[in-house]
Amino acid sequence: MKTDISVRIVFFTVALASIAILFMIMVFLFMEGLPIFKRVTLFEFMFGKYWYPTSSPPDFGIFPLILASIAVTLVSAMISVPLGVMTAIYLAELAHKRVAEIIKPIVELLAALPSVVIGFFGMVVVAPFLQNAFGVSTGLNLFNAALMLSFMSVPTICSLSEDAIYSVPTALKEGSLALGATHWETLLRVILPASISGISMAIILGMSRAIGETMVVLMVAGGAAMIPTSLMDPVRPMPASIAAEMAEASFRGDHYHALFATGIVLFLFTLMFNIVADQIAHKYRQTGEASL
Amino acid sequence: MAGQASKKDQIKKEIMTEKIKIRARHLNFFYGHAQALYDISLDIKSSQVTALIGPSGCGKSTFLRCLNRMNDLIPISRVAGEITLDDVNINDPSVDVVMLRRRVGMVFQKPNPFPKTIFENVAYGLKVNGVSDRVFIESRVEESLKKAALWDEIKDRLHESALGLSGGQQQRLCIARALAVEPEIVLMDEPASALDPIATQKIEDLIGELKENYTIIIVTHSMQQAARVSDRTAFFYMGKLIEMDETETLFTRPRLKQTEDYITGRFG
């Protein structure tokens, strides 16, 4: 009994420590970010169109940064969702077992690529290609960043979706096939609807990975803090802005606080993604053998 | 009295002249290197209930799943020998397995309704078979649910999730779902084993009613159930067909000692 209690206390303390550290980081983030609102209003900060933190007087409008983050994430989702989900369907339902055994680790290996390597690839290979192929002034732009980010989120989307599809009970597949449905009809009408919650969760987690990713967008998004008007415009997503400017911002100056406030906004975005994913997971929690 | 006797004669005549629906000849079945069925030869007659009994792992479910080629789903499986349905070999490459499964419906051990509404569950088979006439689908859904003795219980909540039904209701829904595509044969793999006695009773009554229009093959662990619902019974043991006969004969005067031992509960 006594060891039971002490073991519990030890684990509780360890668990508490990691939560406490996370909590402290959050407190720190808010403490350092909120003072900017003495200089500008929340509205000006969020919807101001100009981000010139070092001019005098400085402009602290992060609207172009927010828009850049959203645009980059959405465009990357347009690429990574079909790629990831269809690969997952292929692996879980269509591929020969041996083929799947080869492809699956390769897809997962993509997740192991350091983001700086992906960024490097985007810079050295994709950017010149885009520049030549589309005749744009710079290949470091929204589309390039979105493409690189989609490479990063495909493994997440793919392997989580595959788990979801794989976990559809065999009984349901058999039930459908036994009624004279083809494999394709079974996939479309039974397996996918039954795994849609897992797939949506995979998509959201993949997108949340894309929106928070820093190195890739720092390297290949182009870095122009302006509202993009085309896919080939250079942009400056929030993480890139924070990473690029933090070193040169004077400690506890307005710029410094503005960057932390940008961090808060970014944090709220990823938090929102995670809450939505969690909600979906709860809503469709498996309650019985055949219920998904 | 005379009427009754002639009725009996009539039934007897019917049984004697009963058409053979399914004929298995020298059927061997393998999972990889393991052989699951050995040289099974048997006939299944039209409009009868045939029960397959035997201890776990004796091959009765495997045999059942050969009849609608459900075993095709297992990549390492292999069939040798012949199964004919209305004198056509169902394992012939020219046979469309989708059409076969439409003719040979199946009800599984555990109720497996789709996570859709009750209506959608029953309509599913029609829809995947290309029926799009709404009125026809509605009438067929109602008819199937009535045949499965479920209509009165659920007619007011057709558009609610099928997962809200009780286990017994779910199983009858699965039967309705199978009936909706108008199969000729219904395979039942221990359809009542996951159900309580009252739900089991309902399923058994249902089987009795259905056999007029369908050929039913039921796998069951319960010998009482086989005795109650079936016309003919086949006893499987270790992948072999040991004995097959009229149910009454098999349970009262089995020809083989092994069968007698099993049905009297001495082993298995």
Side-chain angles (χ1 to χ4, degrees), chain A residues 45-69:
Chain A
F45 183 71
M46 294 284 287
F47 296 101
K49 284 189 190 127
Y50 302 103
W51 174 254
Y52 294 120
T54 50
S55 5
S56 55
D59 284 307
F60 293 115
I62 62 163
F63 190 61
L65 314 185
I66 295 178
L67 213 60
S69 275

Side-chain angles (χ1 to χ4, degrees), chain B residues 60-80:
Chain B
K60 55 196 192 303
S61 285
T62 303
F63 177 75
L64 194 75
R65 292 165 69 94
C66 282
L67 301 179
N68 65 345
R69 287 181 50 186
M70 218 55 191
N71 287 326
D72 286 14
L73 301 180
I74 303 158
I76 52 164
S77 67
R78 192 162 61 82
V79 189

Side-chain angles (χ1 to χ4, degrees), chain A residues 170-183 185-187 189-190 193-194 287 289-292, chain B residues 65 68 70 73 98 101-102 104-106 108 110 112-116 124-125 127-129 163 177-178 181:
Chain A
T170 318
L172 283 187
K173 295 183 209 171
E174 288 188 340
S176 168
L177 292 168
L179 287 167
T182 60
H183 190 175
E185 288 163 338
T186 303
L187 183 61
R189 289 166 175 262
V190 173
T287 50
E289 180 64 26
S291 60
L292 280 156
Chain B
R65 292 165 69 94
N68 65 345
M70 218 55 191
L73 301 180
V98 167
R101 289 185 187 143
R102 198 176 154 184
V104 186
M106 187 164 197
F108 296 82
K110 270 193 196 152
N112 57 349
F114 303 129
K116 299 171 184 284
Y124 181 84
K127 287 186 177 167
V128 297
N129 283 300
L163 304 177
R177 187 173 75 178
V181 290

